[in-house]
Amino acid sequence: MIHFVLLIVCAVAIYLSCEWFVNAVEWLGLRLNVGKMAVGTILAAFGTALPESVVTLVAVTTGGSEEAKNIGVGAAMGGPLALATVAYGVTGAMLLLKRRKEKAEVLATTGMPESRGDGEGEALGDRKDMRRLAKDQKWFLPIFVVKVVLGLVAFAFKPTLGLLFFAAYAVYFWREIRGGDEGDEGEEELEPLKLQPRAASPATWAVAVQTLATLVVIFFASQLFVAQLDAIGPMLGLSAAVTALLLSPVATELPEIMNAIIWVRQGKTRLALANISGAMMIQATVPSGLGLLFTTWKFDGALLWAGLITMAAIVYLLLTMRAHRLTPARLTVAAGFYVVFAIGLVPILT
């Protein structure tokens, strides 16, 4: 029972910490004078993905055996899978719930349905927004394809290619920082910093303290959350392999999912989607570069299956974005790819 209690406590701690984190990171973006989209793709994504990258670094550099090092390889593949499927799917579901709630409120207030339709079939943003979202996916997909192909081959200078993944993220980072306010939502003024709720413009030290403190809580709560899943898995009759490949990736990406939920609730859909796409770029490059440098980077059937499902999900999202047909319902469908992954994983592991 203690494991289930700790699981709930950790989930609550992660959510509350993410509330404070997104509040602080928006002020941090203002202090650093970066574009609003870069707040999601760079600052928020880097903050929540950094702890996971550190875990991968520790696994691949200090693992006492090849099997221990391969934990880092699994994390490098599981992270993008969970983000491309579960994170986007949860965001779509939250958007559906939000639009249905808004429709019910209008109906209760006026007695008439919204004249512009139910909102559920409307695309997320205009064509410029869709091109902006599709651009991130077009960055991610070729990098991820190369990452999977390298897991199927072996040659002498393969480890040195890990440096190219770091370079790819550096280029993406520079592009996002220099992107200015492209995709500006015209949002209202920032909410007061929770650490200084009465200050119209909080002190820089307070912004930095709130950002770093929440990241520390998110890091340790996430690790404790994963540890509880590892303990609960066998109690539910799940093997260690299934727990590691099916549940742990979702748990490690929980901060990104929580961030997206909070921003959707606040009406900042672009920031929610940008946070996920930015985290995906980090997960596709930094952990992969570490894995290539310090492991054999050799895929088994389960890892290859994870890669194929991730690519299928991204192709689906990219096609709907380019056609300007990405609606909350279609975004929710992305979670279905994770269900397909789970079903296909069973015969691979048995």
Side-chain angles (χ1 to χ4, degrees):
M1 182 59 66
I2 189 64
H3 293 297
F4 286 97
V5 172
L6 284 174
L7 198 69
I8 296 172
V9 170
C10 289
V12 172
I14 292 170
Y15 181 83
L16 294 177
S17 297
C18 286
E19 282 266 15
W20 283 58
F21 175 73
V22 297
N23 171 250
V25 82
E26 289 187 57
W27 280 106
L28 182 62
L30 185 64
R31 288 286 186 273
L32 297 177
N33 195 30
V34 301
K36 290 182 180 179
M37 291 299 289
V39 170
T41 58
I42 298 297
L43 298 182
F46 186 80
T48 53
L50 182 61
E52 300 150 23
S53 299
V54 170
V55 172
T56 302
L57 174 63
V58 172
V60 299
T61 57
T62 64
S65 64
E66 194 63 34
E67 184 177 354
K69 289 186 177 182
N70 284 337
I71 292 175
V73 178
M77 291 300 295
L81 170 65
L83 289 169
T85 56
V86 178
Y88 274 128
V90 169
T91 303
M94 288 300 298
L95 285 167
L96 278 177
L97 292 174
K98 186 173 185 293
R99 290 190 175 185
R100 288 177 181 177
K101 181 180 179 181
E102 291 172 350
K103 178 185 175 184
E105 289 174 350
V106 170
L107 184 62
T109 303
T110 65
M112 300 177 61
E114 292 179 283
S115 59
R116 62 183 178 87
D118 62 10
E120 296 175 10
E122 296 179 358
L124 299 174
D126 55 25
R127 292 188 180 278
K128 181 179 179 181
D129 297 328
M130 290 299 102
R131 286 196 299 269
R132 175 66 176 75
L133 290 171
K135 188 183 295 184
D136 279 353
Q137 310 308 315
K138 287 189 288 186
W139 267 80
F140 173 85
L141 188 58
I143 292 173
F144 192 82
V145 169
V146 172
K147 166 180 175 172
V148 172
V149 171
L150 289 176
L152 304 177
V153 297
F155 46 90
F157 61 91
K158 178 177 169 180
T160 60
L161 296 182
L163 300 176
L164 295 180
F165 284 85
F166 298 137
Y169 184 73
V171 173
Y172 174 81
F173 179 93
W174 182 251
R175 181 185 74 96
E176 290 297 301
I177 292 296
R178 293 292 299 272
D181 287 331
E182 181 185 357
D184 186 358
E185 290 183 286
E187 296 159 4
E188 69 279 0
E189 294 183 1
L190 299 183
E191 296 180 359
L193 188 74
K194 293 184 181 295
L195 199 60
Q196 292 185 332
R198 296 184 180 180
S201 180
T204 301
W205 69 262
V207 175
V209 167
Q210 183 172 318
T211 302
L212 295 175
T214 51
L215 280 178
V216 170
V217 175
I218 290 170
F219 174 74
F220 286 106
S222 297
Q223 299 310 306
L224 187 56
F225 189 93
V226 173
Q228 304 317 304
L229 279 182
D230 290 340
I232 290 173
M235 298 178 189
L236 300 178
L238 301 177
S239 67
V242 171
T243 302
L245 288 173
L246 200 59
L247 300 182
S248 293
V250 177
T252 55
E253 305 308 324
L254 197 57
E256 286 87 350
I257 296 172
M258 293 295 190
N259 282 356
I261 290 174
I262 293 165
W263 266 323
V264 167
R265 182 171 56 80
Q266 294 177 352
K268 301 173 182 178
T269 303
R270 290 180 182 85
L271 276 177
L273 296 175
N275 183 28
I276 297 173
S277 64
M280 285 175 61
M281 278 301 301
I282 295 177
Q283 294 290 350
T285 54
V286 177
S288 304
L290 293 171
L292 281 163
L293 287 172
F294 296 104
T295 73
T296 58
W297 196 255
K298 184 178 181 181
F299 287 4
D300 56 15
L303 291 176
L304 178 59
W305 178 238
L308 293 175
I309 292 296
T310 304
M311 288 188 286
I314 293 302
V315 169
Y316 163 75
L317 290 169
L318 183 57
L319 290 176
T320 54
M321 288 174 184
R322 294 187 65 179
H324 192 217
R325 298 182 64 186
L326 184 64
T327 63
R330 292 193 176 102
L331 190 60
T332 305
V333 170
F337 285 89
Y338 202 74
V339 176
V340 174
F341 170 71
I343 294 172
L345 190 63
V346 176
I348 294 175
L349 295 178
T350 55

